[in-house]
Amino acid sequence: MTSTATETPVAQLLHHLAGEANGPLATVRRLVEHTAHRLADRPDPHDRDAGQRLEWAARRLYGLQQDLDAAANTLHGASLPSPATAHVPAGPPALSAHRLR
């Protein structure tokens, strides 16, 4: 996302946070996704359950990116293309037969 002179500082900050290419939320989401994929391949069912939870956390982070981007676009007063749409993480994990709560 390229900032314009008319974009407010708050909108610029929100676009930066939500940015898919180099935004901090995207970086964290990619690390969480990577860890989830590594846990999914492990034989321990607790590891796989943790991997599913991390996949769901990554999905929520992606939703947060979209929400921040939408708020920035509202503040900017324009319908700009969303920088957070380049990558769509996997959907929510299947519910485990074994629940901790």
Side-chain angles (χ1 to χ4, degrees):
M1 157 54 221
T2 305
S3 300
T4 65
T6 61
E7 190 172 35
T8 68
V10 174
Q12 288 176 355
L13 174 64
L14 294 177
H15 275 303
H16 171 71
L17 291 172
E20 184 60 31
N22 59 2
L25 289 177
T27 301
V28 169
R29 193 194 76 239
R30 284 189 292 272
L31 290 170
V32 170
E33 287 172 339
H34 175 75
T35 303
H37 290 290
R38 291 187 65 181
L39 288 172
D41 293 335
R42 298 187 63 166
D44 188 325
H46 296 291
D47 290 347
R48 289 192 307 270
D49 187 50
Q52 288 178 338
R53 290 173 188 269
L54 288 175
E55 286 178 15
W56 185 237
R59 185 68 171 179
R60 291 191 315 262
L61 284 167
Y62 178 72
L64 180 58
Q65 282 179 267
Q66 290 181 315
D67 290 344
L68 291 174
D69 190 54
N73 287 339
T74 299
L75 289 171
H76 185 260
S79 181
L80 299 174
S82 172
T85 58
H87 173 75
V88 178
L95 292 178
S96 172
H98 171 68
R99 301 290 303 181
L100 296 176
R101 293 186 213 180

